[in-house]
């Protein structure tokens, strides 16, 4: 096949091939949706998804049905991919992450209506401040984590439709406008040890928004809509997709795949980057393995596969070319599981099972500082993630990004200070040893010189 000859010469897929590969996931699940739901059920389901509140946790599979949920996620992702392709945006690791985040969270919070105002606000900021859209577009895509705010304003403000539209427009544009400067600023605070950086900045923005809403008497009720009846069906769908990706990776790289993957496992993942370049097949294989691991954890914990958990699994898959791999996510996830034995919740409850998956934002801590640090990070993250959301009442879909930023800011300086102390102690011990040897040598020669005199 001609495309294999080109790939083996460059180790990368062409621009169009990457576009088609990323599009595989939304197309696959849209076909899945059409198999299990006729169109006359999908359209009314999509309408319910659009008009209902989207705060955490709102499972679109319950709200609109299987077909509508996956059709919403698939169509929205494809629309954005076609726009990116039209404007010749490079399909790099950032676009892989943001595309799969759009797909995953469009199963529980984002829809074909509520993301656009935030993106327009981001475009306005980028244009006014001279930021190249192609370079920073992924920040705007990440920032749609606050899309439930648009639906909230439309429903919570009891006034005329015109004023609802005006307030929703102002809210969306304001979120998009402030997103980039805040995200760039806060990244330095956790030094790249939390991968969901925009989740951290979104948590700050959401906290301010909720404070404003409540000051004007707008109360925000938390939600828990959670599907429990399709786990086996979704498990089959996920494993078929991930094993297809494994097979594709072997077709592309053959015997070179596993040695390259072993090299990738030595990377720390700090800042969502890898120190070395790898072939596209290695990234595809890493995505598949991480997807299999994440799905297996949910099943082993007797959790439910539904909109929120599938969306969280694709968050792990999406970040696989940008910092996550088996060696640095497992300690974090095991730390969360261990905490379930000591704390007052069960790992297969809705919020804890999402925390188990999304705690992998802290994968760089395990990658850089080792297994013990990873276990501690997972243990701490489980407590923070399950409590910090109260400040913004589920308005930020990337709740674990906000919690992960807090844990990283707390842990990393402490770990670095311990490492620095150990380094200083070893240096001091080394210097003392040298001084002692010099002293003994000097003492010997002094005694020998006196003896000769």
């Amino acid at each position: 096949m001609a495309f294999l000859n080109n790939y083996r010469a460059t180790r990368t897929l062409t621009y169009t091939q990457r576009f088609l590969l990323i599009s595989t996931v939304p197309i696959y699940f849209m076909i899945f949706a059409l198999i299990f739901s006729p169109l006359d059920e999908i359209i009314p389901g999509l309408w319910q998804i659009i008009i209902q509140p989207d705060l955490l946790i709102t499972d679109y599979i319950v709200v609109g049905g299987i077909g509508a949920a996956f059709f919403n996620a698939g169509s929205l992702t494809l629309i954005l991919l076609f726009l990116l392709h039209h404007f010749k945006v490079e399909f790099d690791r950032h676009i892989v992450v943001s595309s799969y985040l759009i797909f995953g969270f469009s199963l529980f919070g984002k829809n074909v209506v509520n993301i656009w105002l935030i993106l327009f606000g981001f475009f306005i900021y980028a244009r006014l401040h001279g930021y190249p859209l192609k370079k920073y577009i992924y920040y705007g895509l990440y920032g749609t984590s606050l899309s439930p705010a648009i639906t909230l304003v439309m429903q919570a403000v009891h006034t005329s439709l015109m004023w609802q539209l005006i307030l929703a427009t102002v809210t969306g544009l304001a979120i998009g406008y402030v997103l980039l400067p805040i995200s760039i600023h806060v990244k330095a605070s956790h030094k790249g040890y939390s991968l969901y950086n925009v989740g951290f900045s979104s948590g700050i923005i959401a906290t301010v928004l909720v404070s404003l809403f409540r000051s004007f008497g707008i109360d925000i009720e938390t939600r828990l809509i959670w599907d429990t009846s399709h786990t086996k069906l979704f498990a089959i769908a996920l494993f078929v997709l991930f094993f297809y990706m494994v097979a594709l990776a072997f077709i592309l790289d053959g015997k070179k795949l596993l040695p390259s993957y072993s090299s990738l496992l030595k990377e720390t993942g700090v800042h969502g980057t890898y120190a070395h370049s790898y072939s596209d097949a290695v990234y595809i294989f890493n995505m598949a393995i991480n997807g299999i691991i994440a799905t297996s954890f949910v099943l082993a914990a007797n959790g439910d596969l539904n909109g929120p958990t599938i969306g969280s699994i694709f968050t792990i898959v999406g970040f696989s070319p940008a910092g996550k791999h088996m060696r640095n996510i497992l300690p974090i996830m095991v730390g969360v599981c261990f905490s379930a034995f000591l704390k007052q919740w069960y790992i297969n409850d809705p919020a804890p099972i999402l925390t188990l998956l999304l705690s992998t934002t802290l994968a760089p801590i395990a990658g850089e500082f080792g297994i013990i640090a990873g276990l501690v990070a997972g243990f701490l993250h489980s407590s923070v993630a399950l409590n910090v959301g109260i400040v913004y009442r589920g308005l930020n879909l990337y709740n674990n990004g906000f919690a992960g930023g807090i844990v990283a800011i707390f842990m990393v300086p402490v770990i670095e200070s311990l490492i620095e102390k150990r380094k200083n102690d070893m240096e001091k011990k080394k210097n003392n040893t040298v001084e002692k040897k010099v002293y003994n040598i000097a003492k010997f020669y002094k005694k020998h010189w006196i003896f000769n005199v």
Side-chain angles (χ1 to χ4, degrees):
M1 292 181 284
F3 88 92
L4 281 180
N5 293 333
N6 176 73
Y7 172 81
R8 285 166 182 162
T10 62
R11 315 304 293 165
T12 60
L13 298 169
T14 66
Y15 183 84
T16 301
Q17 286 168 348
R18 285 187 174 183
F19 165 71
L20 293 174
L21 181 65
I22 298 171
S23 302
T24 299
V25 169
I27 292 172
Y28 173 80
F29 280 103
M30 288 178 76
I31 295 172
F32 178 85
L34 290 172
I35 292 173
F36 290 96
S37 299
L39 274 176
D40 59 353
E41 292 181 8
I42 290 176
I43 302 303
L46 279 172
W47 177 248
Q48 288 301 314
I49 286 172
I50 290 169
I51 65 172
Q52 288 212 23
D54 311 298
L55 301 173
L56 280 177
I57 304 172
T58 303
D59 188 346
Y60 284 167
I61 290 172
V62 176
V63 173
I66 293 177
F70 284 111
F71 215 83
N72 174 68
S75 59
L76 182 55
T77 308
L78 286 179
I79 290 169
L80 289 169
L81 285 172
F82 275 108
L83 287 173
L84 296 173
H85 186 274
H86 174 75
F87 291 108
K88 299 299 179 185
V89 176
E90 184 64 32
F91 288 109
D92 58 11
R93 61 190 176 89
H94 293 300
I95 298 303
V96 173
V97 174
S98 54
S99 298
Y100 285 165
L101 281 181
I102 290 290
F103 174 80
F105 282 87
S106 293
L107 295 171
F108 67 117
K110 302 178 184 182
N111 61 57
V112 292
V113 171
N114 67 8
I115 71 165
W116 301 107
L117 288 171
I118 294 173
L119 287 174
F120 289 148
F122 171 81
F123 293 154
I124 292 170
Y125 179 89
R127 288 294 187 188
L128 291 178
H129 293 267
Y131 284 96
L133 284 175
K134 288 185 179 181
K135 185 177 180 181
Y136 291 97
I137 182 62
Y138 65 93
Y139 274 101
L141 296 174
Y142 291 162
T144 54
S145 62
L146 292 168
S147 55
I150 311 303
T151 310
L152 175 67
V153 171
M154 286 293 296
Q155 295 178 340
V157 179
H158 302 295
T159 182
S160 66
L161 178 61
M162 183 186 72
W163 275 108
Q164 288 177 330
L165 291 172
I166 291 173
L167 291 173
T169 301
V170 170
T171 301
L173 294 178
I175 291 170
Y177 190 86
V178 304
L179 181 71
L180 184 57
I182 294 175
S183 297
I184 293 174
H185 179 76
V186 301
K187 190 172 183 178
S189 61
H190 55 72
K191 300 182 178 180
Y193 285 94
S194 177
L195 296 176
Y196 308 162
N197 179 59
V198 176
F200 186 46
S201 57
S202 295
I204 295 171
I205 297 170
T207 302
V208 173
L209 282 175
V210 169
S211 300
L212 286 170
F213 290 158
R214 299 187 73 176
S215 297
F216 286 99
I218 301 175
D219 195 23
I220 302 173
E221 296 182 4
T222 57
R223 286 164 67 88
L224 178 56
I225 300 177
W226 187 263
D227 179 67
T228 61
S229 56
H230 299 94
T231 296
K232 290 183 180 179
L233 175 64
F234 294 152
I236 294 170
L238 289 170
F239 282 130
V240 167
L241 176 65
F242 295 142
F243 281 111
Y244 156 76
M245 294 169 67
V246 169
L248 177 62
F250 273 106
I251 290 171
L252 291 174
D253 264 16
K255 294 180 180 179
K256 297 179 181 179
L257 179 65
L258 293 181
S260 298
Y261 177 65
S262 297
S263 178
L264 182 141
L265 293 178
K266 298 175 184 177
E267 301 272 3
T268 64
V270 178
H271 292 295
T273 60
Y274 296 125
H276 302 90
S277 296
Y278 299 92
S279 68
D280 283 351
V282 174
Y283 293 129
I284 294 169
F285 184 76
N286 187 41
M287 293 164 72
I289 295 299
N290 288 349
I292 291 169
I293 289 171
T295 306
S296 299
F297 258 86
V298 174
L299 296 176
N302 198 29
D304 302 306
L305 286 172
N306 52 28
T309 51
I310 292 174
S312 301
I313 288 168
F314 276 99
T315 301
I316 296 177
V317 173
F319 271 95
S320 298
K324 293 185 183 182
H325 52 67
M326 178 171 61
R327 190 178 67 84
N328 65 8
I329 67 172
L330 283 175
I332 306 294
M333 298 177 78
V334 171
V336 175
C337 290
F338 177 73
S339 68
F341 293 104
L342 303 176
K343 299 177 182 178
Q344 297 180 345
W345 42 262
Y346 297 102
I347 193 66
N348 59 351
D349 286 342
I353 200 72
L354 295 185
T355 299
L356 169 66
L357 297 167
L358 297 172
S359 64
T360 51
T361 180
L362 296 170
I365 290 180
E368 178 74 22
F369 302 118
I371 293 175
I372 300 301
L375 293 171
V376 173
F379 186 89
L380 292 176
H381 181 87
S382 65
S383 293
V384 176
L386 293 175
N387 289 282
V388 75
I390 194 171
V391 299
Y392 44 73
R393 310 287 289 176
L395 195 65
N396 175 25
L397 295 176
Y398 302 165
N399 176 62
N400 281 269
F402 186 57
I406 293 173
V407 174
I409 292 170
F410 175 79
M411 281 192 67
V412 172
V414 175
I415 295 173
E416 289 181 338
S417 68
L418 292 173
I419 292 174
E420 185 66 24
K421 183 179 185 304
R422 184 181 179 188
K423 183 179 178 181
N424 291 338
D425 289 345
M426 291 178 67
E427 190 68 27
K428 187 176 180 180
K429 185 178 180 180
K430 181 180 178 180
N431 292 337
N432 288 340
T433 302
V434 172
E435 289 176 2
K436 188 174 182 180
K437 286 182 178 179
V438 171
Y439 173 78
N440 289 335
I441 292 171
K443 184 177 179 181
F444 171 79
Y445 277 105
K446 182 179 180 181
K447 182 179 180 180
H448 186 67
W449 177 75
I450 292 172
F451 179 75
N452 283 337
V453 173

